Amino acid sequence: MTSKSRKQKIVDFSKVRKAPERLPFHWAYVTLFALSLASSLWQHGHPVLTLSLLGSAFVIGSLPYISYAVISSNIRFNLQIFIVLASSLWLLYRLRQQIPLDKILIESVCITGLCFILAQRSSDYEYLFLMSMFLLLYGALLPRLIFLIIFILGFFITSLLLYTTRLRTLAGVSDIKTPTAVFSRSWSGFIMHFLLAGAFAFGLFNLMPENKSFTEGFFDVSFYTENSSIAPPGFMQWLMPRNFRKGKGWHKKSGLGKPEILTSSGGRVEVPESNYLQSSGNGASPPGKEIIFKAKSPLKLYWLAQLYDVYDGQGWKLSNKLRNARTVNSVIRKQDNILNCIEQEVVIEKWVSKSLYCAYRPLSATTKEQDNYYNLINYSAYNVTLKNDVFPKLPFYYSVTSTVFFPKETPTSAPPVSRLSTSPFWLENIKFTHYLKLPKQLISDRVRKLAEKLTCGMTSPFMKALTLRDYLRNNYRYLQYSQKTPDNREAVDFFLFDLREGHCEYFASALTVLARLSGLPARVATGFSPGNYNALNKCFEVHAYHAHAWTQIFIEGKGWLTFDAVPPGNVESVTTPFAIGKLRDPFGDEWRITPPEITKKTLSYLKQNRAAQLKTEKNSYNCTFADSMLLQISSTTENAKKIFKNIINGELKSIAAQLFKSWQSFKRQMAVIWQRILNRFALKNQLFHGNFILLIPFLSIVFAVFLEYRILKAFFNRRKKLLKCRQCFLDAEKNLRKQPNLTVIACYTMVRILLNMAGYPRRGNKELLDYGNSLFKVSNELRKNTVVLFYFYTKIEYGSECINQNEAVEALERTENICKELYPLINEPAELEKLKHTAV
């Protein structure tokens, strides 16, 4: 390489050119970006920011016409840094105002887009065009008339840019110059393509719904966003042909009448009556993917629609006693201060029943239609429904206040029946024994013996309920479409001993019957599982496939709790959007192991609410000792925050000055040390001066030493991991009787090490049970053993109960089976013999 070429490689072209790399259609890009700003921010974003950006776009857009002699490239680069910094500061400012996250991000993107108008490089136009398309798509989600005008202008400019820059787009090289007079030489082709695209857009407008509908669009935005055609009514009537509006092809998504649900194949299936539920299911229609409702809730709970309390051997029905139940013990609740309220906002997008879904137990509900408030809603002791068969127009908004108990310590033994009538956690005027009734002539002896065997020796009601639930989770397979119960068989006996697989109705019915046989008040609940949590708009999106059945079991000191006997991996609940949602998930997976009413997240929220209530009411009544302690802890935290804020505001400058001085001193010391190192190794130039052939063996030795180091390091790491596995196995056997929890943890650690060595690591922060199920690619036996071991580990990690000795023994046995499959995969079959010898 010549010296001249070396100089050209380090030359800054921005100082050689007279002006920036401005493309022929510069103002078309600037205008398109300005239109996209108006599309996303007009009547939606901050008004001062919107007008400032629109004015700044054309002012900054004129800078590429000014030469570098007037405004140097360094000044332009500093201007870009200033714009990015302003965007970051605006983002922090809007976050403090609790603005919806999607609006904050769009405003920050619009500010950052000004950097690309400077056109320092020709490739900046490509980024500016891409950003403009994104902002136009976002603007399409906001129903405003101005978007129609912007869409027409933006469509014309976009077509012009795509047509004139097609050579650079097809070649993938931004440096190709656009031919001169490209538009004047091919204007006829451009007009023809523009008309064809306009006809296609006209056809899309015809397919737009006439009524507003609450849908997702391209991606989820704020909770109350309504996506609809933004044309005025008169224009919509002109745009949509009459024969299409009234023809057979028009499908009305919302309105009045009997609710319907669409199957995945498109056929309509009527929703069955809700006063009876068969154990084998009320229908075989596959669940669809459409959203039934969206809800905002501070806690992750199940959405209740209906309760069932009477069992007839084939299914469950709602008795008149439960239908007409009333709440009691209001005086006791107020004295003990154990009842807490949570607010939920729900919007129904598709009617499938008269139920207004909410968390158990609803206290009150309101709608936006205040005039018809009392004529719309019907209350009961456990749910809220519509009064009439006439369904309101969609989307239907309502708010619900539900009550959740602040749990107390669970009794070690079941309380007598006489005590429950005065318990503050028993709110119903129904007797305790009502939820223990079963048809004696229908329940088989083997079902009774199974319930007695599973709960033998247990005195804690909570541990009984967990044991029954986990038995069904570990020994029965979830199957959405399963065989129905024969007419001459009792449903629970058929499921437990013959079928051994089924959908959620089978699991809920079996757990309820086993709980009642064990002396626990229980009933079947239907509705929806928590749904998918959207971390951007902080709401739960409940689809048709979230329809579910579970069991409510009463535990003294905690109230009615949700116990879901379905294996947790089969209850679908994901956090969206991908990757970002998982990082911002505030609930985790504890609700799958522990009843959601008493998870750590729930208890933390209830404590915060209780502390806030005490601050407002501390002078109106005498606080208990526990309330006083909670109030003191809360006040201490706030005082600490104030002190920390004062320290930051008062001493931040002095701390920054000291850090700057320390940094300068450190830089000077490092410079002196570096100079000494250079002086010490200055002899290297004399050693190899004129003898470059000596470098070859020297470098070969260095490379060989490096390879040997890598080989030895891998070998000793492998030995270290194998010894770690052997030690874990010893620890597991050592703690088998005294500390079963440590046995399961040691087995889990050993299996995870072996899976990593075998080349099957846990990737992408996948859920533990999903990770275990993915091992079916190796063998089905490995999958079964690993899933059970992982489930025991999740009970320790996320649950509040302990592992018993039988579960620890099973975990150790399954670990041995896993070792038999994994040690040959890592080419260490001899370790099996060492493991057996160590165990002996």
Side-chain angles (χ1 to χ4, degrees):
M1 183 181 292
T2 62
S3 60
K4 183 177 181 180
S5 61
R6 291 177 182 173
K7 290 181 180 180
Q8 289 178 349
K9 190 173 182 179
I10 61 175
V11 164
D12 184 5
F13 284 102
S14 63
K15 297 181 180 180
V16 176
R17 292 190 299 266
K18 295 182 179 180
E21 292 185 71
R22 186 182 69 252
L23 294 182
F25 292 90
H26 170 77
W27 283 113
Y29 284 97
V30 175
T31 305
L32 179 63
F33 181 72
L35 291 174
S36 67
L37 288 178
S39 170
S40 57
L41 296 182
W42 194 264
Q43 297 177 343
H44 177 66
H46 195 283
V48 176
L49 175 69
T50 304
L51 297 175
S52 301
L53 290 179
L54 288 175
S56 302
F58 293 98
V59 173
I60 298 177
S62 62
L63 294 181
Y65 289 89
I66 302 176
S67 65
Y68 283 127
V70 180
I71 302 178
S72 65
S73 61
N74 289 333
I75 295 178
R76 298 171 196 256
F77 180 73
N78 292 332
L79 178 60
Q80 288 178 323
I81 295 178
F82 173 79
I83 292 173
V84 174
L85 179 62
S87 175
S88 303
L89 294 176
W90 181 262
L91 177 67
L92 297 176
Y93 168 72
R94 296 289 273 175
L95 283 173
R96 295 187 62 182
Q97 295 181 335
Q98 297 182 350
I99 306 298
L101 184 59
D102 57 309
K103 185 184 294 187
I104 299 175
L105 293 176
I106 288 298
E107 290 177 348
S108 302
V109 168
C110 292
I111 298 174
T112 308
L114 297 177
C115 295
F116 301 107
I117 303 181
L118 291 172
Q120 290 277 64
R121 301 171 302 173
S122 59
S123 59
D124 289 348
Y125 288 95
E126 307 294 337
Y127 300 121
L128 188 65
F129 182 83
L130 182 62
M131 188 174 293
S132 300
M133 292 297 100
F134 172 77
L135 295 177
L136 285 173
L137 288 176
Y138 181 84
L141 302 174
L142 308 173
R144 296 156 304 154
L145 180 61
I146 192 175
F147 180 77
L148 269 183
I149 303 172
I150 294 176
F151 175 79
I152 296 173
L153 296 176
F155 182 76
F156 180 84
I157 297 176
T158 302
S159 303
L160 176 65
L161 291 176
L162 291 176
Y163 200 84
T164 55
T165 60
R166 61 189 185 277
L167 292 179
R168 291 190 288 112
T169 304
L170 292 174
V173 180
S174 59
D175 295 332
I176 297 179
K177 293 184 178 180
T178 304
T180 57
V182 62
F183 181 75
S184 60
R185 289 187 297 174
S186 55
W187 64 269
S188 58
F190 171 78
I191 295 297
M192 182 185 68
H193 288 140
F194 182 82
L195 293 177
L196 289 175
F200 178 74
F202 181 82
L204 288 180
F205 269 112
N206 278 334
L207 298 178
M208 288 185 178
E210 185 175 2
N211 298 325
K212 288 185 177 182
S213 60
F214 194 94
T215 54
E216 288 185 358
F218 290 97
F219 49 87
D220 295 331
V221 285
S222 57
F223 181 69
Y224 290 108
T225 298
E226 293 181 354
N227 298 329
S228 64
S229 172
I230 38 72
F235 184 74
M236 175 58 70
Q237 293 178 5
W238 170 82
L239 194 61
M240 186 167 294
R242 182 179 302 177
N243 56 355
F244 184 80
R245 288 202 311 267
K246 296 184 178 181
K248 296 182 180 179
W250 178 254
H251 174 63
K252 196 172 185 180
K253 291 188 176 180
S254 60
L256 307 179
K258 194 170 185 179
E260 295 174 339
I261 186 170
L262 294 179
T263 66
S264 58
S265 59
R268 299 183 181 183
V269 179
E270 293 186 359
V271 175
E273 296 297 330
S274 60
N275 56 2
Y276 186 79
L277 175 73
Q278 292 181 353
S279 293
S280 56
N282 276 347
S285 58
K289 295 183 179 180
E290 64 272 15
I291 291 183
I292 304 300
F293 64 93
K294 293 184 179 181
K296 272 194 173 183
S297 173
L299 302 177
K300 193 169 189 175
L301 303 172
Y302 282 57
W303 304 99
L304 179 65
Q306 188 64 273
L307 289 176
Y308 303 93
D309 57 333
V310 176
Y311 183 60
D312 61 4
Q314 287 288 331
W316 295 82
K317 70 177 182 178
L318 173 65
S319 66
N320 292 329
K321 185 176 293 187
L322 180 57
R323 183 184 288 108
N324 302 323
R326 292 179 292 103
T327 56
V328 293
N329 293 339
S330 58
V331 177
I332 299 177
R333 290 200 316 269
K334 186 175 181 180
Q335 290 177 353
D336 288 0
N337 298 303
I338 60 175
L339 208 56
N340 297 267
C341 297
I342 59 171
E343 304 294 332
Q344 305 157 80
E345 298 180 18
V346 186
V347 51
I348 293 183
E349 300 186 22
K350 190 175 187 65
W351 289 112
V352 295
S353 69
K354 294 170 60 177
S355 299
L356 299 181
Y357 312 104
C358 59
Y360 179 82
R361 185 189 67 94
L363 185 65
S364 62
T366 58
T367 68
K368 288 187 175 182
E369 303 180 19
Q370 296 294 336
D371 297 337
N372 300 326
Y373 168 63
Y374 292 102
N375 297 327
L376 279 176
I377 297 178
N378 184 37
Y379 291 96
S380 72
Y382 62 89
N383 72 345
V384 182
T385 60
L386 296 175
K387 277 188 176 181
N388 305 316
D389 292 334
V390 178
F391 293 87
K393 190 175 181 180
L394 295 175
F396 181 72
Y397 300 89
Y398 65 93
S399 301
V400 180
T401 300
S402 295
T403 56
V404 178
F405 282 114
F406 194 91
K408 294 184 178 180
E409 185 178 355
T410 306
T412 56
S413 59
V417 177
S418 58
R419 280 184 52 192
L420 286 180
S421 59
T422 58
S423 170
F425 293 88
W426 189 268
L427 303 181
E428 304 174 6
N429 62 342
I430 302 176
K431 292 184 179 180
F432 171 84
T433 55
H434 174 73
Y435 294 107
L436 297 177
K437 293 180 180 180
L438 288 170
K440 296 182 180 180
Q441 67 278 10
L442 295 179
I443 304 301
S444 64
D445 291 338
R446 55 181 181 176
V447 175
R448 297 179 186 274
K449 291 180 181 179
L450 177 63
E452 182 180 356
K453 176 183 177 182
L454 293 175
T455 59
C456 180
M458 294 185 179
T459 56
S460 170
F462 185 64
M463 293 306 299
K464 284 185 179 181
L466 290 177
T467 301
L468 296 174
R469 183 202 67 178
D470 293 343
Y471 172 77
L472 294 175
R473 285 184 172 185
N474 294 334
N475 295 279
Y476 295 87
R477 176 170 170 258
Y478 176 80
L479 187 64
Q480 187 174 0
Y481 307 104
S482 56
Q483 181 182 350
K484 287 189 176 182
T485 306
D487 296 336
N488 59 346
R489 293 292 304 275
E490 189 265 318
V492 173
D493 181 90
F494 175 70
F495 170 68
L496 291 176
F497 298 102
D498 296 333
L499 191 58
R500 304 190 67 86
E501 63 181 13
H503 41 63
C504 55
E505 288 92 346
Y506 273 121
F507 282 90
S509 183
L511 179 58
T512 306
V513 170
L514 292 174
R516 289 189 176 188
L517 291 174
S518 304
L520 303 175
R523 58 196 181 191
V524 174
T526 60
F528 292 87
S529 58
N532 302 333
Y533 181 73
N534 190 317
L536 290 181
N537 53 30
K538 298 181 180 180
C539 76
F540 293 93
E541 299 166 344
V542 183
H543 298 253
Y545 56 79
H546 288 119
H548 198 49
W550 62 95
T551 302
Q552 284 188 352
I553 300 178
F554 181 80
I555 306 296
E556 172 60 19
K558 300 180 185 297
W560 288 98
L561 299 182
T562 298
F563 288 88
D564 194 348
V566 174
N570 298 113
V571 180
E572 185 167 354
S573 178
V574 298
T575 307
T576 59
F578 176 74
I580 299 176
K582 194 67 176 178
L583 294 175
R584 300 188 58 186
D585 182 10
F587 302 102
D589 291 326
E590 186 187 358
W591 64 274
R592 297 181 182 272
I593 306 299
T594 306
E597 294 85 357
I598 56 173
T599 60
K600 293 180 181 179
K601 172 67 178 178
T602 302
L603 296 181
S604 175
Y605 177 81
L606 296 181
K607 288 179 181 179
Q608 292 176 3
N609 274 9
R610 185 71 187 132
Q613 181 184 2
L614 291 173
K615 291 176 185 177
T616 57
E617 301 179 1
K618 61 182 179 180
N619 296 326
S620 60
Y621 69 94
N622 295 326
C623 297
T624 63
F625 176 75
D627 290 341
S628 301
M629 290 298 296
L630 182 62
L631 185 60
Q632 184 177 357
I633 293 173
S634 175
S635 302
T636 303
T637 305
E638 289 190 357
N639 293 335
K641 290 182 179 179
K642 291 180 180 179
I643 294 173
F644 179 75
K645 187 176 181 180
N646 294 334
I647 293 175
I648 292 298
N649 293 334
E651 302 183 7
L652 185 60
K653 293 183 179 180
S654 60
I655 293 175
Q658 293 177 3
L659 290 175
F660 182 75
K661 291 180 181 178
S662 301
W663 170 248
Q664 294 294 335
S665 175
F666 176 75
K667 284 176 62 178
R668 288 192 294 268
Q669 293 177 4
M670 292 302 298
V672 173
I673 293 174
W674 177 248
Q675 189 61 39
R676 291 177 180 175
I677 293 173
L678 293 179
N679 294 335
R680 180 173 297 179
F681 291 95
L683 295 176
K684 65 180 180 179
N685 293 330
Q686 300 178 7
L687 178 63
F688 297 108
H689 182 70
N691 298 307
F692 293 104
I693 195 68
L694 295 177
L695 283 174
I696 297 177
F698 177 77
L699 293 178
S700 301
I701 294 173
V702 171
F703 183 69
V705 171
F706 175 76
L707 286 181
E708 186 66 21
Y709 165 77
R710 294 293 300 270
I711 293 172
L712 291 175
K713 181 180 178 182
F715 174 78
F716 285 112
N717 284 341
R718 184 181 180 87
R719 291 290 97 193
K720 183 179 179 181
K721 292 178 181 178
L722 292 174
L723 290 175
K724 176 68 174 177
C725 292
R726 201 181 305 169
Q727 184 62 39
C728 288
F729 192 81
L730 283 174
D731 294 340
E733 288 193 328
K734 178 181 177 181
N735 300 309
L736 186 60
R737 295 183 179 180
K738 296 182 179 180
Q739 294 178 305
N741 280 11
L742 296 181
T743 296
V744 174
I745 293 174
C747 291
Y748 170 81
T749 305
M750 179 180 180
V751 170
R752 285 298 301 274
I753 293 174
L754 292 176
L755 287 172
N756 290 335
M757 294 179 66
Y760 301 102
R762 181 183 180 186
R763 301 183 186 278
N765 200 20
K766 184 183 291 186
E767 290 187 2
L768 203 56
L769 296 178
D770 293 339
Y771 170 50
N773 283 319
S774 66
L775 297 176
F776 74 93
K777 301 176 181 178
V778 184
S779 69
N780 196 35
E781 289 298 323
L782 178 63
R783 178 191 68 82
K784 291 180 181 179
N785 294 323
T786 308
V787 167
V788 174
L789 178 60
F790 285 177
Y791 173 69
F792 290 152
Y793 177 76
T794 55
K795 288 181 65 176
I796 301 172
E797 184 70 16
Y798 302 109
S800 57
E801 67 275 19
C802 296
I803 295 294
N804 56 46
Q805 187 174 353
N806 293 333
E807 290 175 334
V809 171
E810 184 179 358
L812 188 59
E813 292 176 353
R814 292 187 180 273
T815 302
E816 292 178 356
N817 296 333
I818 293 172
C819 292
K820 292 178 183 178
E821 294 197 45
L822 291 182
Y823 274 116
L825 290 179
I826 61 175
N827 298 322
E828 290 290 343
E831 283 293 322
L832 282 174
E833 299 300 327
K834 293 180 182 179
L835 205 64
K836 294 178 182 179
H837 179 73
T838 303
V840 173

